[in-house]
Amino acid sequence: MSKTDFSRRGVLRTGAIAGAGVALPTIFTASSASAFTNEPTGSTVTLGFNVPQTGPYADEGADELRAYELAVEHLNGGGDGGMMNTFSSKSLKGNGILGKKVEYVTGDTQTKSDAARASAKSMIEKDGAVMITGGSSSGVAVAVQGLCQEAGVIFMAGLTHSNDTTGKDRKANGFRHFFNAYMSGAALAPVLQNLYGSERRAYHLTADYNWGWTQQESIQAATEALGWQTVNNVLTPLAQTDFSSYIAPVINSGADVLVLNHYGGNMVNSLTNAVQFGLREKQVNGTDFEIVVPLYSELMAKGAGQNIKGIVGSQNWDWKLQDEGTKAFVQSFGQKYGFPPSQAAQTCYAQTLLYADAVERAGSFNPCAVGAALEGFEFDGLGNGPTLYRAEDHQCFKDVLVVRGAENPQDEFHLVEIVEVTPVGQVTYPHDHPMFAGGDLGKCNPGA
């Protein structure tokens, strides 16, 4: 499939146009002979990869698609097998899923909930996708997860960091491998205290959608527990590209820390504007001014360039980890594409393998059987050490990374250095924690 194929709006099937992402009614049907939506009856099974190919998170989406292609190649017996060789579960044999060759369709979420739902509907209704995965926005993830619950298919979330995804908006048909905003706050707080002390005044700029809201809430709670004060929290539009008008008021606010609750291109632009306004050289009451980005990635660091030096944040995973699963994935991805994978790539690759493995262990594509195989599943070998899919909320629990922009990177692929691997116990919380309250998994929907 060519790069030009990926850029087309709509849904593509293995190189040929299979249907446009048009608005469709929220009606899902299964044939009377089927026990569940889109039960595979032939020699193939179709997965739906729904990622941002345009918009502020498009760089993440491009790497997600690379990882999905690699996962399909490995599942079908191609390449070196990657993490299938290190995965603690040995159900996957490289002969597809339950002996069926894996095919896939793709859609462009545009980082817009309506567009993401439309493309997911098309993949389910027109292309027969039995599982949907992808996304680099929590707004998109929540919307598509709800749609998959209605449709009777499994949703394996891609990049979604909002507490809501496995909190108030959790669904029985949805599962999240990525960490969340609470975990970022829990991992970052002790590091921020060691670096900057406990008497800080923070000014927040926050992306105005559900990820930004819960990220800000989480980092504010974690830092105020240290003794920090929150001077202000200003919401910024997701479509914003120039943040100068938002940065200027920070200068005379009395704050000595700027927290950028931004991701993707938003973070690159807001950090660049902050540096242009001289915040990195500023002192407040004799204290060096600091900038914190609670969530970022190697891809964002590359976009930010020199501005990322010394900036502290958190990541779900990093290609420089030395566990066997990470090394196997980095080798496979690097051989295919010529550069290391991002956390977006690792998350989406792992989600694809986890779904396929659950189908194999369940002996069925029925989403309720797959969900049962994932709930409470403990595994290792996919990066980040021993991992649990908690049954109560379908949230993955594993180690979390605290990272910092390298001062003297050896090349463009070493812009981020790992400061600390935070053990899973430090970021684990009760499933009924107040930040995750109000949701109900409900019951699995097979769609028939």
Side-chain angles (χ1 to χ4, degrees):
M1 185 177 290
S2 69
K3 291 182 180 179
T4 55
D5 287 329
F6 283 150
S7 67
R8 294 175 182 159
R9 186 177 184 274
V11 182
L12 310 178
R13 181 191 292 276
T14 56
I17 297 177
V22 294
L24 300 170
T26 309
I27 300 173
F28 300 96
T29 60
S31 72
S32 58
S34 297
F36 54 91
T37 300
N38 293 336
E39 179 177 7
T41 56
S43 60
T44 64
V45 59
T46 301
L47 308 182
F49 301 148
N50 205 24
V51 305
Q53 299 178 46
T54 56
Y57 297 170
D59 286 348
E60 310 285 333
D63 229 30
E64 289 178 339
L65 280 179
R66 295 182 189 108
Y68 284 135
E69 286 188 313
L70 184 61
V72 169
E73 179 181 321
H74 289 166
L75 288 172
N76 286 333
D80 61 10
M83 284 191 187
M84 285 171 52
N85 299 317
T86 60
F87 191 11
S88 57
S89 176
K90 301 304 178 186
S91 300
L92 299 172
K93 306 300 182 186
N95 62 343
I97 307 176
L98 290 183
K100 297 181 184 292
K101 181 180 179 181
V102 180
E103 295 185 348
Y104 63 92
V105 292
T106 76
D108 182 7
T109 69
Q110 304 174 42
T111 318
K112 297 176 181 177
S113 296
D114 288 346
R117 281 180 64 96
S119 59
K121 285 179 186 177
S122 184
M123 286 188 274
I124 295 167
E125 293 192 333
K126 290 188 174 183
D127 302 303
V130 73
M131 181 272 276
I132 301 294
T133 181
S136 288
S137 155
S138 291
V140 162
V142 166
V144 175
Q145 180 168 258
L147 176 117
C148 289
Q149 182 69 34
E150 298 167 16
V153 301
I154 289 289
F155 176 62
M156 300 295 282
L159 263 68
T160 168
H161 191 242
S162 170
N163 294 338
D164 292 349
T165 309
T166 47
K168 72 178 184 63
D169 296 307
R170 59 184 178 261
K171 302 294 182 187
N173 284 42
F175 293 84
R176 170 162 61 178
H177 187 69
F178 207 63
F179 70 147
N180 59 45
Y182 174 92
M183 295 175 178
S184 284
L188 280 170
V191 175
L192 294 177
Q193 183 175 38
N194 289 338
L195 289 173
Y196 308 136
S198 56
E199 297 180 0
R200 286 288 188 162
R201 293 169 55 82
Y203 192 112
H204 293 249
L205 294 182
T206 300
D208 190 11
Y209 73 105
N210 62 347
W211 168 68
W213 306 331
T214 64
Q215 175 58 84
Q216 193 279 331
E217 177 190 27
S218 298
I219 197 70
Q220 177 175 333
T223 53
E224 287 185 351
L226 304 176
W228 289 28
Q229 297 179 43
T230 303
V231 174
N232 203 355
N233 176 42
V234 178
L235 301 178
T236 62
L238 183 59
Q240 192 76 22
T241 56
D242 185 349
F243 292 86
S244 299
S245 62
Y246 294 95
I247 298 294
V250 179
I251 296 174
N252 297 314
S253 68
D256 51 31
V257 177
L258 173 61
V259 182
L260 295 176
N261 299 298
H262 290 156
Y263 196 72
N266 289 161
M267 173 273 197
V268 171
N269 292 330
S270 62
L271 178 59
T272 299
N273 290 152
V275 172
Q276 289 170 340
F277 272 76
L279 291 185
R280 300 206 68 173
E281 289 76 42
K282 182 179 173 63
Q283 282 200 333
V284 178
N285 297 323
T287 301
D288 290 341
F289 194 97
E290 304 292 350
I291 301 174
V292 176
V293 178
L295 174 68
Y296 73 88
S297 68
E298 289 270 8
L299 291 174
M300 291 159 60
K302 185 175 181 180
Q306 297 282 328
N307 298 329
I308 202 65
K309 289 186 176 183
I311 299 293
V312 175
S314 66
Q315 284 186 183
N316 183 67
W317 174 88
D318 188 278
W319 72 270
K320 294 181 290 297
L321 289 170
Q322 291 301 302
D323 61 277
E324 293 306 309
T326 292
K327 289 191 287 187
F329 179 56
V330 170
Q331 177 175 317
S332 289
F333 192 96
Q335 286 179 344
K336 187 173 180 67
Y337 299 112
F339 49 85
S342 65
Q343 65 175 349
Q346 185 267 348
T347 298
C348 291
Y349 178 93
Q351 284 290 62
T352 308
L353 262 57
L354 284 165
Y355 170 78
D357 173 76
V359 173
E360 292 282 355
R361 289 186 292 109
S364 172
F365 288 99
N366 187 309
C368 296
V370 175
L374 285 169
E375 288 184 342
F377 181 45
E378 296 183 59
F379 59 91
D380 201 346
L382 297 184
N384 299 85
T387 305
L388 165 69
Y389 251 132
R390 188 161 65 182
E392 290 87 351
D393 51 10
H394 295 184
Q395 173 64 54
C396 235
F397 288 87
K398 55 189 182 300
D399 295 346
V400 169
L401 306 184
V402 176
V403 298
R404 178 170 49 202
E407 292 290 345
N408 297 293
Q410 64 190 72
D411 56 42
E412 63 178 318
F413 305 118
H414 289 80
L415 300 177
V416 175
E417 60 186 21
I418 299 171
V419 175
E420 182 174 283
V421 177
T422 305
V424 61
Q426 186 176 318
V427 299
T428 299
Y429 53 88
H431 68 88
D432 57 354
H433 186 284
M435 285 189 185
F436 298 83
D440 181 8
L441 273 177
K443 295 182 179 179
C444 169
N445 176 24

